[in-house]
Amino acid sequence: MHIHALSNNGTTPDGALVRRDAQTPDGLRVLDSVLAMRPTPDVVLRARQRVEYDGDVRRWVRYSLQREPGGVDVAFERAELPPGVGNGVPSFARYLLVLELATVGAWVEYTQLDDADPTRTQHALLVRTDTQPLILPDGVSTSAMRIDQLLDGSPANAFWCDSFGVLQADYIETFPDGTQLTGVSWRTTWEGIEPWLDAEVRAALDASGILA
């Protein structure tokens, strides 16, 4: 289980992104991602994406997305999409490409799919830059390699990685209804994030089953 704290103001956690790796009975790998946070005082955002893929996420087989508010509940089989449409990567799965680039290579070019409508795409580029000093929101000083993402040529998310994976990210998420969130996420533990979560956010994580 991989846990990142989420913060719109860049300091105080107001949510969590939890990921789990698994395998299906027929040998496909699975990335299950659950996001629960409070972007505004009166809203709890809940999103879940499950991607099944054959070794390389570029060879995804199926994925699903649920999101509230917005009432999004979709699932796609790559084989059922029009020719060429499935030759991209769902946005939540870019995490795997970042991990790949953190290990080898200078850049990764790919097509990013709109999670709710894979026929809508963006040209995406991940570029590995250099190792930079980094002060995490909890005050810890370290250094990490930076990876920048461009979407259709414009700066999007940025990631800082160490030997254990993604340490911190500056995120810009645009959801299917046009809602956009910006903020910071950083790697933590359940003990590190649980005291910050309000009851509704915690309930959303519990209801997803991702913590079991």
Side-chain angles (χ1 to χ4, degrees):
M1 184 166 64
H2 314 278
I3 302 176
H4 275 72
L6 301 171
S7 175
N8 281 331
N9 62 23
T11 56
T12 306
D14 47 33
L17 173 60
V18 183
R19 298 183 179 96
R20 278 190 180 275
D21 301 303
Q23 195 168 32
T24 65
D26 56 356
L28 294 177
R29 297 181 65 181
V30 179
L31 177 65
D32 195 7
S33 304
V34 172
L35 180 152
M37 70 180 306
R38 189 178 288 281
T40 61
D42 58 342
V43 172
V44 173
L45 174 63
R46 303 177 297 281
R48 182 173 199 154
Q49 185 177 85
R50 175 185 169 93
V51 182
E52 298 178 26
Y53 60 101
D54 185 10
D56 186 328
V57 72
R58 300 169 186 85
R59 299 194 299 271
W60 66 272
V61 175
R62 62 186 63 90
Y63 78 84
S64 61
L65 171 70
Q66 296 83 40
R67 179 183 177 271
E68 290 290 348
V72 178
D73 188 352
V74 294
F76 299 97
E77 296 273 348
R78 182 172 185 168
E80 296 175 357
L81 295 176
V85 170
N87 295 338
V89 176
S91 72
F92 273 63
R94 65 170 171 256
Y95 172 75
L96 297 173
L97 298 181
V98 170
L99 295 183
E100 175 186 301
L101 186 57
T103 302
V104 62
W107 53 273
V108 173
E109 188 174 13
Y110 66 102
T111 299
Q112 182 165 290
L113 304 179
D114 182 309
D115 294 323
D117 179 3
T119 64
R120 298 172 56 188
T121 64
Q122 291 177 288
H123 175 265
L125 184 66
L126 292 170
V127 181
R128 177 173 171 169
T129 58
D130 53 13
T131 299
Q132 302 177 343
L134 182 66
I135 300 178
L136 298 174
D138 59 8
V140 174
S141 296
T142 185
S143 61
M145 182 184 62
R146 178 169 176 158
I147 294 174
D148 290 312
Q149 183 193 42
L150 301 176
L151 290 176
D152 287 339
S154 297
N157 303 278
F159 306 88
W160 286 263
C161 302
D162 61 11
S163 58
F164 299 101
V166 177
L167 180 61
Q168 180 176 303
D170 290 351
Y171 60 83
I172 304 174
E173 291 290 351
T174 302
F175 291 92
D177 64 355
T179 302
Q180 189 175 78
L181 293 177
T182 61
V184 177
S185 70
W186 63 95
R187 190 172 63 221
T188 187
T189 61
W190 179 243
E191 292 75 19
I193 187 64
E194 184 181 20
W196 294 95
L197 301 179
D198 70 36
E200 286 186 88
V201 172
R202 172 62 192 269
L205 289 171
D206 288 340
S208 75
I210 194 76
L211 299 174

